[in-house]
């Protein structure tokens, strides 16, 4: 029964693709394929915004394909061949995976990646992780006494981001202290030591959006409590952390993320040759801040050089 | 030129038991997105589909569109009933809501300020929202902010026992098309259509909601005429018979926004609005009211008007009417009135039209270290510009509009005001908000109303607030200027009612996945306006009463599991009429509301809810038996399509068809109270293009 449905799904995809190819053969040349996963609400709106950002800024025709778990790479491959695609934008790991399995000479960029890890596919990858330099920039603006930033990370997921952050931290005069952990038990021990730091006024802790390191039941409540008591600045790459009490975070402007992807594809052949295959972080970011925590730390949120704050927590006080 | 084409592969959604590697990967991806955003509500805020809420140092509840939809509410009042410390009682006149905050109960309920997008919709006539209210549909509502306690220091008159601010959806929130239809018991049909889009840098939103219902009909055994029949040996009463509650509603809103400018306009039209229990608790199966409420506002808001200055200017307009569609029978055919038999019944058709112009300027200055100062002022011009009345008190139905016999003269009220408020972060973890507002009225003088709120972030997960506030309630035109009605004569010597409240609030997130709130309050309400005997057999409005009260509210939001969230609150109040030392009556001493959001499956949610109204005394001089407690249980089952575009909802309100009653006016001394709706079953379908 399952296979029957599967075949039916593939057949309908092929028929749709064929009909479409027959219906508009003259206009299919040079289209950019936007391949997106079928996601449920409320995540769908994230992809809708990225999609809107792409099509509003792309200087080429585009055609989109929404895939789900039943669609095989070979099917996508056939669709790309039949549609006369000139470049591919894949959104999310499922779309990235479906594209990475096919052999194509076409320019490919994968966006909306989360814990993007380098792979053999020669595609550009843009993760939803915020550009560390932007985080350090805001950190320095909020408190210029910070000289050390500690981060605990899972190397399987975020080594690429930490490599990048190491380079960027130097230009802000920040000593980035990195600690590897692969589970909550390990990270809890490290945070326990970090939060007992003897010079809390010069230390900030950077939390990654990684539940294998910072879970919401044990580690995050512990960090929030101890950092409040010792007035240690904690910032994050997760909006959810700020809602719970972390000082600030930067998170992707999804429409701008789409724009970033469109610009990469439009200028693909002018891009400098890539020296490594690490993903790129998102550079167009929004900012959320927890005003209650800021007040506790004695920070001034009215500073003119502080960037626009997009969301202020707590939502009600 | 760009062309965009979607090919959607629906796949095999039915095969839910299939868990393969790709699906696990997809689930993991969704969890990664949750790591990034925290929770689904935060996703909505971050993506602009839900607006963050303005901060107000008060004991406030905020209910968002998402929560309103989850609770299966169809009308504003159903949402408000879930707010701790607020019970929506009902008037015998058209089942109009009586928003009873913390024991402050009056028949016409002018002690509550209702705002729509921050602009008052309270009427001059009796001070309520409308004598022909007819409900407020929720599909166009973005969020509802409810402030318990006084708010006159910011909002002016009538922000007395509480403030209800209804914020409608913006184009950005709608972002496409929302449409739906609902059918339910009592021959109820509803439909709505909302569209929001951006065109050449201008955001447009259009909202239309329509409803037609025969209304619930509840049996009344005895009414005012029954008592009269017993005394005079007549048989005029229609009782036993059913209340009438049918109506046809149309709500239309327009919202146009470009950068700093916003223009909003709306119409709330009520037609064929039946009487409920009757004007004076005598059943009337014939009468019908009508109302048109037109509103418009032009708002300029620039958060960066100048360095450290946030500026808002607003001009608004409200035109509202309470009209008679079909003759309203004060007493039924055969009744005796003023020693005269009325074989066709006693007909009284009062009609009122009023309009309000308001302008205000508000500035927020954040240029002083540790201070945020809000200053502002404005001018309101309100008038009852048309009064009509026809009645048959003389035996013949005659139009007495524009004569000295009419019940209310046409008149105007002018109000100018200034206010200042400072939020001062005077020490780490301590914030003091202090404000005062001065209001000057052409008809009853001036008033100063201060407020202060001290907020202490005691620990990383606990906040404690201490609040003090004063408020005033402007006498309504009925209280000020009523004439020719011997049981409700106006008095132009009236002063505003006054309220003084102390509160303490604690908010704790000590336990993971749990929010706990506790509020304790004490209030003193004085200069209460009441109609009392002037010695000549007539009743006239006077500042007479005084009431004090205290109480507490406890709130709990608890994420029990990933699929189970409990919302529960308990409110307690004890209010005393100072003249008699007796309980002030009518309001419940205890109220419990609880609901569970149960995610049965990613696409299925079930929400059981219970509302328990406990221990309502009668007011002084009302010797009837105490009102029975009641417990109503609602169930809502919702199924969403995978992408959330389609939703099917099934629900039942008052599942066990419990006979629940709200108090009728003590002065009529009838044995019957006002029965609420019995079991109500509904189904609805929603479409959202997002």
């Amino acid at each position: 029964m399952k296979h029957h449905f599967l075949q039916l799904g593939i057949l309908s995809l092929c028929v749709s693709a064929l009909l479409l190819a027959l219906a508009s053969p003259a206009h299919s040349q040079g289209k950019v394929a936007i391949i997106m996963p079928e996601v449920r609400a409320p995540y769908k709106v994230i992809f809708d915004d990225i999609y809107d950002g792409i099509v509003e800024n792309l200087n080429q025709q585009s055609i989109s394909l929404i895939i789900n778990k039943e669609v095989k790479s070979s099917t996508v491959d056939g669709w790309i061949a039949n549609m006369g695609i000139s470049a591919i934008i894949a959104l999310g790991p499922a779309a990235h995976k479906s594209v990475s399995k096919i052999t194509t000479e076409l320019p490919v960029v994968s966006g909306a990646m989360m814990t993007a890890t380098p792979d053999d596919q020669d595609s550009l990858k843009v993760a939803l992780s915020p550009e560390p330099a932007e985080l350090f920039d805001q950190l320095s603006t909020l408190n210029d006494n910070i000289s050390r930033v500690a981060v605990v990370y899972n190397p399987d997921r975020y080594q690429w981001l930490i490599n990048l952050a190491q380079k960027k931290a130097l230009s802000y005069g920040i000593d980035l202290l990195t600690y590897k952990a692969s589970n909550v038990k390990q990270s809890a021990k490290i945070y326990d030591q970090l939060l007992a730091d003897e010079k809390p006024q010069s230390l900030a802790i950077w939390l990654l959006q990684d539940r294998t390191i910072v879970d919401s039941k044990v580690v995050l409540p512990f960090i929030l409590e101890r950092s409040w008591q010792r007035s240690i600045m904690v910032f994050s790459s997760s909006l959810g952390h700020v809602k719970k009490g972390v000082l600030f975070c930067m998170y992707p402007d999804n429409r701008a993320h789409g724009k970033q992807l469109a610009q990469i594809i439009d200028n693909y052949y002018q891009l400098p040759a890539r020296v490594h295959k690490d993903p790129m972080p998102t550079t167009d970011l929004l900012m959320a801040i927890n005003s209650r925590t800021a007040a506790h730390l004695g920070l001034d949120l009215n500073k003119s050089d502080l960037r626009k704050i997009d969301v202020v927590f707590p939502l009600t006080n | 030129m760009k062309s965009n084409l979607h090919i959607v592969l629906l796949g095999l959604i039915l095969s839910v038991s299939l868990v393969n590697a790709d699906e696990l990967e997809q689930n993991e991806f969704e969890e990664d997105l949750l790591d990034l955003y925290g929770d689904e509500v935060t996703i909505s805020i971050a993506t602009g589909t839900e607006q963050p809420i303005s901060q107000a140092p008060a004991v406030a509840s905020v209910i968002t569109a998402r929560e309103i939809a989850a609770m299966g509410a169809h009308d504003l009042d159903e949402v408000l009933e879930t707010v701790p410390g607020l019970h929506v009682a009902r008037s015998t006149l058209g089942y109009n809501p009586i928003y009873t905050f913390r024991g402050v109960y009056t028949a016409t309920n002018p002690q509550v300020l209702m705002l729509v997008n921050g602009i008052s919709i309270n009427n001059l006539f009796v001070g309520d929202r409308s004598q022909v209210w007819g409900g407020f549909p929720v599909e166009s509502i973005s969020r509802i902010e409810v402030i318990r306690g006084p708010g006159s220091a910011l909002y002016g008159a009538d922000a007395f026992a509480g403030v209800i601010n209804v914020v409608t959806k913006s184009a950005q929130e709608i972002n496409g098309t929302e449409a739906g239809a609902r059918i339910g018991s009592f021959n109820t049909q509803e439909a709505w259509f909302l569209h929001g889009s951006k065109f050449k840098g201008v955001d447009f939103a259009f909202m239309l909601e329509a409803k037609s219902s025969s209304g619930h009909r509840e049996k009344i055994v005895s009414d005012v005429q029954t008592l009269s029949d017993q005394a005079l040996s007549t048989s005029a009463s229609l009782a036993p018979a059913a209340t009438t509650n049918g109506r046809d509603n149309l709500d239309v809103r327009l919202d146009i926004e470009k950068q700093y400018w916003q223009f909003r306009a709306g119409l709330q039209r009520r037609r064929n609005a039946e009487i409920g229990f009757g004007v004076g608790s005598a059943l009337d199966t014939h009468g019908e009211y009508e109302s048109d409420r037109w509103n418009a506002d032009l708002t300029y808001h620039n958060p960066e008007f100048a360095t450290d200055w946030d500026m808002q200017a607003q001009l608004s307009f409200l035109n509202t009417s309470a009209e008679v569609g079909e003759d309203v029978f004060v007493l039924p055919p055969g009744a005796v009135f003023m020693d005269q038999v009325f074989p066709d019944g006693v007909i009284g058709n009062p009609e009122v039209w009023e309009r309000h112009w308001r302008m205000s300027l508000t500035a927020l200055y954040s240029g002083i270290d540790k201070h945020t100062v809000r200053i502002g002022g404005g001018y309101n011009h309100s008038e009852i510009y048309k009064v009509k009345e026809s009645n048959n008190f003389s035996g013949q139905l005659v139009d007495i509009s524009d004569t000295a016999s009419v019940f209310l003269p046409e008149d105007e009220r002018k109000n100018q005001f200034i206010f200042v408020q400072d939020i001062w972060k005077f020490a780490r973890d301590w914030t003091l908000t202090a404000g005062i507002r001065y209001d000057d009225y052409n008809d009853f003088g001036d008033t100063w109303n201060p407020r202060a709120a001290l907020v202490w972030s005691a620990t990383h997960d606990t906040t404690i607030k201490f609040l003090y506030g004063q408020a005033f309630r402007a006498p309504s035109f009925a209280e000020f200027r009523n004439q020719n009605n011997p049981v409700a004569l106006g008095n132009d010597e009236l002063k505003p009612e006054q309220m003084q409240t102390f509160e303490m609030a604690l908010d704790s997130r000590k336990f993971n996945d749990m929010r706990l709130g506790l509020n304790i309050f004490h209030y003193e309400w004085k200069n209460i306006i009441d109609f009392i005997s002037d010695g000549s057999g007539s009743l006239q409005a006077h500042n007479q009463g005084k009431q004090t009260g205290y109480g507490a509210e406890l709130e709990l939001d608890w994420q029990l599991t990933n699929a189970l969230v409990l919302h529960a609150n308990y409110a307690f109040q004890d209010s005393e009429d100072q003249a008699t030392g007796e309980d002030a009556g009518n309001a419940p001493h205890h109220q419990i509301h609880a609901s569970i959001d149960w995610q049965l499956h990613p696409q299925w949610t079930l929400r059981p809810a219970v509302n328990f109204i406990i221990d309502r005394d009668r007011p002084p001089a009302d010797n009837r038996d105490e009102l029975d407690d009641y417990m109503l249980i609602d169930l809502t089952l919702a199924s969403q399509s995978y992408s959330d575009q389609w939703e099917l909802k099934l629900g039942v309100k008052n599942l066990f068809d419990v006979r629940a009653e709200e108090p009728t006016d003590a002065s009529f001394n009838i044995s019957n109270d006002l029965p609420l709706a019995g079991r109500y079953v509904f189904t609805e379908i929603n479409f959202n293009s997002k």
Side-chain angles (χ1 to χ4, degrees), chain B residues 151-171:
Chain B
S152 284
L154 267 185
Y155 303 105
D158 311 333
F160 196 80
V163 182
I164 299 162
N165 184 22
V166 178
V167 181
T168 56
K169 287 178 180 169
S170 66

Side-chain angles (χ1 to χ4, degrees), chain B residues 104-383:
Chain B
V104 177
Y105 177 103
T106 58
T108 52
N109 196 221
Q111 289 83 7
V112 172
L113 177 65
M114 185 174 282
L115 311 166
V116 176
N117 296 317
I119 300 165
S120 169
I121 61 163
N122 277 36
N123 287 189
L124 281 176
F125 178 32
V126 296
D128 64 354
R129 277 54 60 191
S130 173
Q131 288 277 281
V132 192
W133 176 239
F136 197 122
V138 296
E139 277 71 28
S140 63
I141 295 177
S142 164
R143 66 178 186 272
I144 302 162
E145 300 168 346
V146 183
I147 297 173
R148 282 160 268 162
S152 284
L154 267 185
Y155 303 105
D158 311 333
F160 196 80
V163 182
I164 299 162
N165 184 22
V166 178
V167 181
T168 56
K169 287 178 180 169
S170 66
Q172 194 191 4
E173 279 175 276
I174 301 168
N175 190 24
T177 300
E178 293 176 25
R182 177 186 303 130
I183 52 170
S185 310
F186 319 132
N187 192 25
T188 304
Q189 294 103 36
E190 293 175 79
W192 54 93
F193 173 85
L194 284 69
H195 182 76
S197 58
K198 201 180 191 96
F199 181 70
K200 296 195 172 179
V202 182
D203 286 305
F204 290 93
F206 173 77
M207 294 161 259
L208 185 147
E209 297 157 290
K211 174 179 180 174
S212 175
S213 177
S214 301
H216 59 95
R217 293 174 187 272
E218 309 299 331
K219 191 175 175 187
I220 299 292
V221 177
S222 164
D223 66 356
V224 159
Q225 186 57 43
T226 308
L227 299 176
S228 182
D229 285 346
Q230 285 166 0
L232 302 170
S233 301
T234 51
S235 58
S237 174
L238 301 180
T243 56
T244 58
N245 207 26
R247 66 193 49 144
D248 297 318
N249 292 353
L250 177 71
D251 291 70
V252 186
R253 295 184 187 278
L254 181 70
D255 189 332
I256 302 171
E257 196 172 354
K258 184 175 184 186
Q259 205 182 12
Y260 305 129
W261 292 91
Q262 185 170 27
F263 173 76
R264 289 173 290 219
L267 166 67
Q268 292 191 290
R269 171 161 288 175
R270 304 289 175 261
R271 291 288 182 272
N272 309 317
E274 293 182 320
I275 304 293
F277 194 160
V279 173
S281 297
L283 284 163
D284 172 12
T285 54
H286 181 271
E288 287 180 357
Y289 285 119
E290 296 180 350
S291 173
D292 277 345
R293 305 197 278 274
W294 294 91
N295 72 280
D297 73 272
L298 181 66
T299 304
Y300 171 84
H301 180 211
N302 184 349
E304 287 157 349
F305 183 78
T307 306
D308 300 323
W309 285 94
D310 173 316
M311 194 73 83
Q312 177 172 303
Q314 187 171 67
L315 176 68
S316 73
F317 169 76
L318 172 70
N319 192 98
T320 174
S321 69
E323 304 169 50
V324 171
E326 296 288 340
D327 284 340
V328 174
F329 285 78
V330 182
L331 294 171
V336 174
F337 178 60
M338 294 191 295
D339 302 326
Q340 200 181 331
V341 179
F342 283 73
D344 298 327
V346 180
I347 297 171
N349 295 329
E351 297 178 286
V352 174
W353 286 259
E354 55 184 84
R355 72 168 71 95
H356 304 250
W357 284 98
R358 298 184 176 91
M359 59 178 90
S360 65
L361 189 68
T362 306
L364 202 64
Y365 179 65
S366 51
I368 309 168
D369 188 33
K370 294 186 171 40
H371 290 265
T372 305
V373 181
R374 183 189 291 271
I375 51 171
Y379 176 76
N380 300 331
H381 182 267
S382 305
E383 61 178 331

Side-chain angles (χ1 to χ4, degrees), chain A residues 58 62 211 217 238 296 317, chain B residues 2-4 35 465 513:
Chain A
L58 197 65
S62 66
R211 67 191 166 282
K217 302 273 183 201
S238 164
H296 175 68
N317 72 351
Chain B
K2 300 169 193 169
S3 76
N4 309 301
D35 280 350
K465 300 178 201 173
D513 302 323

